Amino acid sequence: GLGFNIVGGTDQQYISNDSSIYVSRIKKDGAAYLDGRLQEGDKILAVNGRDLKDLRHKDAVELFRNAGYDVSLKIQRRLQPQNGPVGHRDGGESGGLPLAAFLVPGLALAAAAVWILLRYRQRI
């Protein structure tokens, strides 16, 4: 395959009142992943010049399956995150405070406690 999954279509709208086809997942080490240009959440407008507008999901899937070896995609990049099952490729951080904000002070406190304990034990 092409190394990605899609969602959407006239019969399975991913976004309300939008029957477009979207990339839901890029498969690691698949063709799309290795190429690096396609991103999760991208809207696919056409495959090999064939417009995907107003297609049922299964018809869109069939178009991708029969696309051949050299595939040309016309896409629209997602500008802002959407709600829904689409994943993200942002290095794994999910927002908020990074884990290091908790680990560094915690490790410093633990090291200080061990140092105090060792100093105290030497005096006994």
Side-chain angles (χ1 to χ4, degrees):
L2 300 175
F4 62 92
N5 294 353
I6 60 170
V7 292
T10 57
D11 57 335
Q12 297 181 18
Q13 292 183 350
Y14 172 66
I15 297 174
S16 294
N17 301 316
D18 182 358
S19 60
S20 301
I21 303 296
Y22 292 87
V23 177
S24 63
R25 182 172 160 253
I26 305 281
K27 297 177 183 176
K28 188 172 170 100
D29 297 327
Y33 178 86
L34 295 172
D35 177 78
R37 291 180 281 181
L38 194 64
Q39 295 179 9
E40 293 175 354
D42 286 349
K43 181 191 289 190
I44 303 176
L45 304 174
V47 178
N48 293 337
R50 171 85 193 276
D51 191 3
L52 296 185
K53 190 172 184 172
D54 298 326
L55 284 181
R56 292 180 300 172
H57 181 81
K58 72 176 191 171
D59 295 330
V61 169
E62 197 61 30
L63 249 170
F64 285 104
R65 284 192 177 140
N66 296 321
Y69 183 76
D70 291 321
V71 179
S72 172
L73 299 178
K74 182 178 179 183
I75 65 152
Q76 180 179 342
R77 184 78 64 215
R78 181 180 69 180
L79 297 177
Q80 294 183 356
Q82 307 267 347
N83 290 332
V86 173
H88 51 80
R89 296 171 64 181
D90 64 357
E93 290 188 46
S94 60
L97 292 173
L99 186 57
F102 298 104
L103 284 180
V104 172
L107 289 173
L109 285 173
V114 167
W115 183 80
I116 291 170
L117 179 64
L118 290 175
R119 295 282 289 174
Y120 180 74
R121 291 181 96 196
Q122 287 178 354
R123 290 185 180 177
I124 296 179

